[in-house]
């Protein structure tokens, strides 16, 4: 202890409190004597003088390291742009699909550090997500079981969608589709946990999912592989007659944080293999645009001498951009113009065509992506097999619809005239797949075959934002390799940030150390903050968990996640205090016939109780509350022999139920290294013979 | 009647003749204001923190903190208790239970003593203000008492009892307990209570100066009557 002890510079509360006390006393005295109430200013801390840290010395140190490691000036610049020092946070958060890992990835940007793999369609043991059958999270996963009860333990996630308010991310919810079996999940961004998984009652697949309308009233699930909607058998010869596509409109209820199944419905579509969708915004609000790529209705049969699917599907020069009208859909539903299929209301293709719910605009050749510009005025369709992006004008589409379709497809759906609705076509390169936007009036399109990102200028209201001519290719940056989607910072909202772009490359080939024949994918970070031809790659980030497709990037300060659960005894499934929460002193084991109830608490570094005695044939209901309130004080609960592992985060309550079938003694233990006595945090689950 | 007023005068000191009040108002108002202010400051201090401790350790980048008010402890009490159980310290809620439950009433009583002292014009007033004068010291002594009682009486069977010696955290300034560095500071409430002590001291000084001449006069008068 030295002389100056009420507080060094870091602990100045002592001195400040003295000032507060003196101020308060002076105030009271002043009031008592003079009856006047003039407030005194508290003294404020003086600013610390900025330190001068010899910039030239730093630079010479850096160049020595750079020389030794063989780094170029551009490398150093990239490193400086992406390095996020220890203890500081990333500016943006990337939510990427985890592909066929079935999960959702959460990555910090620009560091590209993986922050979390959120368990969604696949059990995730670290989070205790859906491990075994005993926990409540496993029941959430069960929400996506097939109609016949088949349990699914993997998924193929493609497109995450962050919830939006007025067309801008609000950081509250995330949705993600599952293509392989046609499911949709809801993730709460307060705790980054999956809250709901819904199985589409009409379809085994989706692809234009998930996308949200600008106020997240609807979560859109566009289909992909057609089949009879009732799940029955129909031969391939009946393809045109009985196989159908479907667009499902899931009603999201913010107050419950769940999709309301009963207020949701679907629209039947032709079996054209619908692809990516995007919801309209601003001038196009109320519209949904989905690409498609099999208007040929090819059905393959390579083994019978037919052209293979890949050739058959790419025969025609044009496929159809699907244009849906949400108001007309909901009007038809309200008017009862729906058929019930598997207990779910469906607007038939006939009704959709007759009521003008669905229109087509021709689009060149098996395209990918239908992306609405930030002002909502244009829809950009990337050609995939055509080197152009085709830009549709929403006002022209509206006029054409008002004027009436000139042509109809075999199912009676009105086809708008291509030249009437197209604003422009821009040649961007080979294999254009997907387009996003920035704040400088540029669009960015991924070029799969060119392995590049194209930057091109927009027209219309974006014309004033850039100095180049409208609708023109400006630059291509090579990426490594075979880019699928790309994503820019808030690039599919009404106000993109235009700071970074992530190229989601399907192949990495030689970019990383070889880890066997299955290689990670490569997320490449590009700096797009400068205009013109400058948009360098500044970081390579291997993704070794699945094949991510779409992603969205949100400004980190829009997220407001909990650090610990709001109250001790919190049930993350209901996001409320669990009435079964165990308070200190309530712990114990009680038996009622074959039903054994265990009430446990967890706190560093012990379970209470530590001995649980049961018998073969008992049904165990185990309530567990983590009493911790400290940041990061998570406990795990592993019960060997029962396929159980839970993650009990600070304040979390969980209840598990299971049947005991085999005798033996099993040591349950904490799976999160919680404290110096973590290894001692264990107990005994003893199963006696009956 | 006269007898009663004599007893009253004896107990509460002489009343001030009206003409003196008018002539010499400041002399009587000053001690009253100072003592009233002391009572108010003391009362207000109960809403402010008295003592604070910041605790820094590698795994707590935001630190832990604990703030003591006269009637409660705020801050990371649960976390501190969780950590303390490793070294065998009793939960903080068991410290100073009586003091915390009585504090507001006790401070109310101190305030009443001050008010009473204003109306008592003889040296008894001084006696009534002693508890207020000493109150900050009593608070600090009590705090020290509980800290040493808790710090020196650790449970030997606690898991980490072998790595930590019994200890008394300092009442003010820096201390070290295992991986924690602690910083104790005196907070606004305590400073206010000290301020109240100063006000009381001043008040009682001017109180004495105002009433002593009257008291002496009365005494002289009594002596005269006695002769």
């Amino acid at each position: 202890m030295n002389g100056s002890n009420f507080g060094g510079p870091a602990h100045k509360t002592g001195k400040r409190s003295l000032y507060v006390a003196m101020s308060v006393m002076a105030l009271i005295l002043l009031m008592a004597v003079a009856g006047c109430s003039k407030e005194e200013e508290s003294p404020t801390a003086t600013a610390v003088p900025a330190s001068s840290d010899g910039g030239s010395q730093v630079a010479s140190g850096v160049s020595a390291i750079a020389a030794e490691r063989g780094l170029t000036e551009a490398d150093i610049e990239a490193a400086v742009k992406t390095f996020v020092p220890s203890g500081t946070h990333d500016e943006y958060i990337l939510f990427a699909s985890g592909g066929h890992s079935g999960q959702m990835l959460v990555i910090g940007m620009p560091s590209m550090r993986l922050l979390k793999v959120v368990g969604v369609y696949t059990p995730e043991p670290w989070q205790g997500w859906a491990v075994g059958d005993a926990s409540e999270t496993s029941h959430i996963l069960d929400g996506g079981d097939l109609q016949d009860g088949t349990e699914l333990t993997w998924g193929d996630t493609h497109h995450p969608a962050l919830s939006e308010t007025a067309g801008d991310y609000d950081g509250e919810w995330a949705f993600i589709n599952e293509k392989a079996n046609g499911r949709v999940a809801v993730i709460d961004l307060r705790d980054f946990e999956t809250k709901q998984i819904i199985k589409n009652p009409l379809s085994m697949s989706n692809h234009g999912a998930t996308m949200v309308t600008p106020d997240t009233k609807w979560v859109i699930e566009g289909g992909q592989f057609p089949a009879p909607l009732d799940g029955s058998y129909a031969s391939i010869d009946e393809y045109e007659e009985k196989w159908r596509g479907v667009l499902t409109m899931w009603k999201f209820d913010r107050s419950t944080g769940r999709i309301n199944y009963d207020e949701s419905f679907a629209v039947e579509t032709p079996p054209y293999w619908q692809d990516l969708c995007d919801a309209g915004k601003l001038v196009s609000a109320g519209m949904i645009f989905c690409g498609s790529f099999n208007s040929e209705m090819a059905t393959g049969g390579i083994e019978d001498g037919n052209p293979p699917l890949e050739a058959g599907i790419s025969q025609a020069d044009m496929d159809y951009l699907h244009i849906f009208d949400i108001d007309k859909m909901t009007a038809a539903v309200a008017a009862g113009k729906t058929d019930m299929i598997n207990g779910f209301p469906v607007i038939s293709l006939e009704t959709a065509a007759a009521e003008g719910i669905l229109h087509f605009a021709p689009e060149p050749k098996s395209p990918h992506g239908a992306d609405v510009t930030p002002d909502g005025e244009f829809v950009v369709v990337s050609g995939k097999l055509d080197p152009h992006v085709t830009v549709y004008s929403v006002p022209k589409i509206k006029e054409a619809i008002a004027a009436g379709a000139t042509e109809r497809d075999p199912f009676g759906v009105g086809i708008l005239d291509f030249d009437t609705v197209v604003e422009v076509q821009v040649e961007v390169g080979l294999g254009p797949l997907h387009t996003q936007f920035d704040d400088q009036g540029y669009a960015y399109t991924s070029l799969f075959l060119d392995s590049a990102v194209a930057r091109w200028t927009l027209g219309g209201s974006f014309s004033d934002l850039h100095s180049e001519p409208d609708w023109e290719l400006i630059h291509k940056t090579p990426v490594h390799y075979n880019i699928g989607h790309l994503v820019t910072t808030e690039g599919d909202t009404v106000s993109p940030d235009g700071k970074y772009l992530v190229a989601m490359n399907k192949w990495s080939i030689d970019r990383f150390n070889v880890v066997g024949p299955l290689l990670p994918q490569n997320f490449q970070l590009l700096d797009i903050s400068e205009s013109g031809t400058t948009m360098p790659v500044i970081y390579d980030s291997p993704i070794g968990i699945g094949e991510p497709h779409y992603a969205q990037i949100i400004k980190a300060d829009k997220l407001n996640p909990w650090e610990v659960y709001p109250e001790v005894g919190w049930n993350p499934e209901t996001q409320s205090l669990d009435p079964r929460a165990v308070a200190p002193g309530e712990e114990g084991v009680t038996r009622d016939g074959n039903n054994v109830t265990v009430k446990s608490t967890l706190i560093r570094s012990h379970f209470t109780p530590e001995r649980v005695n049961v018998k073969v044939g008992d049904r165990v209901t185990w309530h567990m509350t983590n009493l911790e309130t400290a940041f990061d004080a998570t406990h795990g609960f592993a019960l060997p022999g029962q396929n159980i592992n839970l993650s009990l985060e600070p304040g979390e309550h969980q209840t598990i139920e299971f049947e005991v079938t085999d005798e033996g003694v099993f040591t349950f233990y904490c799976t999160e290294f919680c404290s110096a006595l973590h290894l001692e945090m264990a107990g005994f689950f003893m199963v006696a013979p009956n | 009647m006269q007898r009663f007023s004599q007893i009253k005068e004896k107990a509460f000191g002489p009343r001030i003749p009206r003409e003196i009040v008018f002539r010499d108002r400041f002399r009587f108002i000053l001690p009253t204001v100072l003592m009233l202010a002391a009572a108010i400051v003391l009362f207000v201090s109960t809403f402010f923190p008295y003592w604070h401790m910041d605790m820094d350790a590698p795994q707590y980048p935001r630190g832990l903190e604990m703030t003591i008010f006269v009637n409660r402890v705020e801050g990371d009490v649960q976390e501190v208790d969780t950590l303390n159980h490793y070294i065998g310290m009793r939960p903080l809620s068991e410290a100073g239970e009586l003091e915390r439950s009585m504090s507001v009433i006790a401070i109310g009583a101190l305030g009443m003593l001050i008010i009473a002292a204003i109306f008592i014009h003889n040296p008894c007033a001084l006696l009534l203000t002693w508890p207020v004068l000493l109150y900050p010291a009593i608070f600090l002594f009590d705090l020290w008492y509980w800290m040493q009682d808790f710090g020196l009486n650790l449970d030997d069977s606690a898991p980490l009892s072998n790595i930590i010696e019994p200890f008394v955290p300092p009442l003010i300034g820096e201390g070290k307990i295992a991986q924690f560095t602690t910083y104790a500071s005196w907070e606004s409430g305590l400073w206010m209570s000290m301020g109240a002590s100063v006000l009381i001291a001043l008040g009682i000084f001017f109180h004495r100066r105002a009433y002593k001449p009257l008291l002496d006069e009365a005494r002289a008068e009594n002596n005269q009557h006695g002769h």
Side-chain angles (χ1 to χ4, degrees), chain A residues 61-141:
Chain A
V62 169
S63 45
I65 297 165
E68 196 188 323
R69 297 192 64 206
L71 302 179
T72 65
E73 204 170 310
D75 293 336
I76 297 168
E77 204 173 308
V80 172
K81 280 178 182 172
T82 55
F83 181 66
V84 175
S86 176
T88 57
H89 292 179
D90 280 298
E91 188 185 356
Y92 287 94
I93 303 291
L94 173 77
F95 288 87
S97 77
H100 39 326
S101 72
Q103 318 292 44
M104 185 175 75
L105 311 180
V106 184
I107 293 169
M109 284 176 58
S111 74
M112 302 306 285
R113 296 181 293 199
L114 176 65
L115 300 172
K116 202 172 211 176
V117 177
V118 177
V120 189
Y121 297 103
T122 305
E124 205 295 316
W126 167 53
Q127 292 150 52
W129 171 251
V131 173
D133 296 318
S135 70
E136 290 181 344
T137 55
S138 67
H139 301 152
I140 296 175
L141 184 57

Side-chain angles (χ1 to χ4, degrees), chain A residues 234-471:
Chain A
S235 92
I236 198 83
D237 299 328
E238 299 171 296
Y239 185 86
E240 281 189 45
E241 189 191 334
K242 292 193 173 167
W243 295 44
R244 288 292 176 268
V246 68
L247 177 98
T248 308
M249 299 291 288
W250 295 110
K251 182 79 179 12
F252 183 63
D253 182 348
R254 267 183 206 263
S255 64
T256 59
R258 300 289 184 276
I259 284 170
N260 186 337
Y261 192 92
D262 296 331
E263 287 184 30
S264 305
F265 61 88
V267 184
E268 185 185 19
T269 60
Y272 291 164
W273 294 41
Q274 286 76 24
D275 198 46
L276 280 170
C277 300
D278 199 1
K281 47 189 166 245
L282 301 174
V283 294
S284 50
M287 302 169 93
I288 298 169
F289 307 93
C290 304
S292 71
F293 56 94
N294 188 11
S295 56
E296 299 87 343
M297 294 191 277
T299 54
I302 190 169
E303 62 285 354
D304 297 327
N306 295 332
L309 271 175
E310 56 173 322
I313 289 178
S314 11
Q315 284 309 300
D317 286 337
M318 289 287 181
D319 285 292
Y320 294 126
L321 174 67
H322 291 43
I323 303 160
F324 295 92
D325 186 318
I326 299 175
D327 286 343
K328 287 181 178 164
M329 286 179 197
T330 52
V333 172
K337 294 177 181 170
T338 52
D339 304 319
M340 295 301 271
I341 302 177
N342 289 341
F344 199 74
V346 181
I347 299 171
S348 70
L349 186 47
E350 200 184 345
T351 305
E355 302 280 325
I357 290 168
L358 176 60
H359 282 89
F360 291 145
E363 54 180 3
K365 196 137 194 181
S366 301
H368 198 65
D371 301 294
V372 180
T373 53
D375 63 357
E377 196 180 337
F378 303 106
V379 183
V380 178
V381 169
S382 307
K384 191 163 84 179
L385 305 184
D386 176 288
H388 295 89
V389 285
T390 303
V391 182
Y392 296 81
S393 155
V394 168
K396 288 179 184 175
I397 288 173
K398 285 183 172 174
E399 275 171 42
I401 289 173
T406 49
E407 238 187 295
R408 297 204 169 256
D409 86 328
F411 301 95
V413 180
I415 303 171
L416 310 176
D417 177 53
F418 181 76
D419 294 325
T420 309
V421 294
V422 167
E423 180 77 19
V424 68
Q425 286 191 293
V426 183
E427 186 168 345
V428 289
L430 298 179
L433 283 187
H434 177 229
T435 302
Q436 283 210 347
F437 309 94
D438 71 3
D439 59 345
Q440 303 184 72
Y442 294 132
Y444 299 85
T445 300
S446 56
L447 303 173
F448 183 85
L449 299 175
D450 274 349
S451 264
V453 172
R455 167 186 266 175
W456 50 280
T457 53
L458 294 166
S461 68
F462 303 100
S463 197
D464 297 338
L465 297 175
H466 55 76
S467 54
E468 297 95 340
D470 294 351
W471 313 119

Side-chain angles (χ1 to χ4, degrees), chain A residues 1-2 5-8 10-11 13-15 17-22 24-25 28-29 32-33 563 568 603-606 627-631 633 674-677, chain B residues 33-34 37 40-41 44 48 52 54-56 60 62 78-79 82-83 85-86 159-160 170 172-174 183-189 191-196 199:
Chain A
M1 235 197 285
N2 56 29
N5 50 38
F6 21 96
H11 297 274
T13 46
K15 209 159 232 168
S17 66
L18 184 62
Y19 294 139
V20 171
M22 282 166 62
V24 169
M25 286 191 306
I28 289 168
L29 207 57
V33 175
E563 291 180 346
V568 170
I603 195 158
R604 279 160 290 165
S605 310
H606 52 269
L627 299 176
E628 303 281 1
T629 54
F631 204 8
C674 59
S675 62
L677 291 149
Chain B
V33 163
L34 286 171
I40 294 170
V41 167
V44 169
F48 285 82
H52 181 87
D54 280 321
M55 288 155 273
D56 280 357
Y60 293 91
R62 297 175 186 178
Q78 186 187 331
E79 187 63 12
T82 302
L83 296 172
H85 98 273
Y86 289 118
L160 297 183
I172 187 161
E174 197 173 315
Y183 305 89
S185 56
W186 295 359
E187 294 299 309
S188 44
W191 294 119
M192 283 180 212
S193 74
M194 289 177 177
L199 288 172

Side-chain angles (χ1 to χ4, degrees), chain A residues 654-668:
Chain A
Q654 290 214 28
T655 293
I656 54 172
E657 289 179 57
F658 57 97
E659 207 96 32
V660 185
T661 51
D662 295 310
E663 70 171 68
V665 290
F666 307 92
T667 307
F668 58 86

